[in-house]
Amino acid sequence: METAGAAGTHPLERLHRPVIFLGPPGAGKGTQAKELARCFGVPHLSTGDMLREHVSKGTPLGLEAEPVMKRGDLVPDSIILKMIADRIERADCSHGFVFDGFPRTVAQAQYLGELLKQHGFKQPLVMHMVIDPGLLLRRITGRRMCKVGGEIYNIYERPPKVAGHCDNDGGELEQRADDREEIVGPRLAAYEKQTAPLAAYYRRLGRLRDIDASKSVDEVAKLIVEVVSAARQP
Ligand SMILES: [Zn+2]
């Protein structure tokens, strides 16, 4: 195994720890998690992707999870946690990794803390994507997609030149059913209720870092790299 400072590597290019993203749907969590993983050359671990991989390879965990997923039920912790334990043992995780969509509960977070200790990892740094609920609602409910080319607009933040039509091809713009306020409002409220204890848990441990997710994608990405770099210093 490579050690930090080996030929051709610079310590600043290493993440050296797990990073977790917490944030409501629409706050850019997935985008930023992928970007951070890319930036440091470490795996981006999404429980959804992992589950799909186990199912497609027909592993024992995949065979256990498949019927549950087919029923549309939530995959139980007994499967998720085994899958996480299995994944972080792989060599590509030795320099750190980025979680996207895990943990979701305090119980999962406690299990993860133990698991990381067992495997000699540092405790995670938690990026808490903070955004004003009103702004987030506008971001999601304002989203419109071109029926022809799939271009994404936002009627509040990035409106097309002609209302209802794509700048590129004049295609009709439509709102996804999931982006309607009556769907999004309750989803955000449910998220808030579910995540508040988890954020409080990591804040108590001193692991939580509030990230202003109202800024542009590039600005947020820069902020996150700064926070990760600051955490690495002694
Ligand atoms: Zn278009």
Side-chain angles (χ1 to χ4, degrees):
M1 202 168 66
E2 253 183 328
T3 53
T9 64
H10 186 279
L12 282 182
E13 288 163 3
R14 298 294 194 192
L15 193 60
H16 286 310
R17 68 171 75 236
V19 176
I20 289 168
F21 279 81
L22 289 187
K29 188 169 38 122
T31 306
Q32 295 297 343
K34 275 184 204 140
E35 176 56 22
L36 183 69
R38 191 199 58 77
C39 184
F40 285 96
V42 298
H44 164 257
L45 307 181
S46 129
T47 44
D49 290 347
M50 277 188 254
L51 278 168
R52 280 186 287 276
E53 195 192 320
H54 277 277
V55 169
S56 74
K57 285 186 177 162
T59 68
L61 283 177
L63 292 176
E64 220 181 309
E66 196 172 16
V68 183
M69 291 163 77
K70 275 201 175 135
R71 285 199 304 270
D73 289 343
L74 214 60
V75 178
D77 269 10
S78 57
I79 297 178
I80 299 283
L81 299 180
K82 266 186 240 164
M83 195 175 68
I84 299 281
D86 168 84
R87 183 64 187 86
I88 69 170
E89 277 180 20
R90 291 197 212 162
D92 63 345
C93 284
S94 63
H95 293 294
F97 43 91
V98 178
F99 275 125
D100 181 0
F102 179 87
R104 287 187 193 278
T105 62
V106 173
Q108 287 185 345
Q110 285 167 334
Y111 172 86
L112 178 66
E114 282 305 311
L115 193 66
L116 294 172
K117 233 185 264 172
Q118 280 168 26
H119 288 273
F121 285 107
K122 288 186 184 172
Q123 288 301 303
L125 201 58
V126 183
M127 301 297 154
H128 186 221
M129 307 288 279
V130 179
I131 183 164
D132 172 72
L135 180 62
L136 183 58
L137 201 60
R138 269 169 38 128
R139 259 198 197 175
I140 302 174
T141 60
R143 205 148 53 188
R144 298 289 183 278
M145 197 171 87
C146 170
K147 277 182 167 178
V148 178
E151 297 93 334
I152 306 284
Y153 295 85
N154 188 295
I155 56 170
Y156 306 112
E157 294 171 0
R158 219 168 64 83
K161 290 190 185 92
V162 179
H165 291 279
C166 176
D167 292 348
N168 290 343
D169 48 35
E172 197 186 325
L173 301 184
E174 65 176 353
Q175 184 179 37
R176 285 190 335 171
D178 278 0
D179 290 346
R180 290 200 320 266
E181 185 155 355
E182 59 270 34
I183 306 279
V184 175
R187 236 175 66 200
L188 292 180
Y191 170 84
E192 197 45 48
K193 207 177 147 202
Q194 198 190 40
T195 316
L198 188 56
Y201 169 77
Y202 279 126
R203 200 183 293 283
R204 265 200 315 278
L205 293 179
R207 314 267 14 127
L208 201 73
R209 300 291 184 276
D210 287 333
I211 302 292
D212 180 357
S214 67
K215 295 180 189 294
S216 73
V217 171
D218 290 348
E219 283 172 308
V220 174
K222 220 182 279 173
L223 264 175
I224 290 170
V225 170
E226 279 169 20
V227 167
V228 168
S229 301
R232 243 198 323 254
Q233 281 149 21

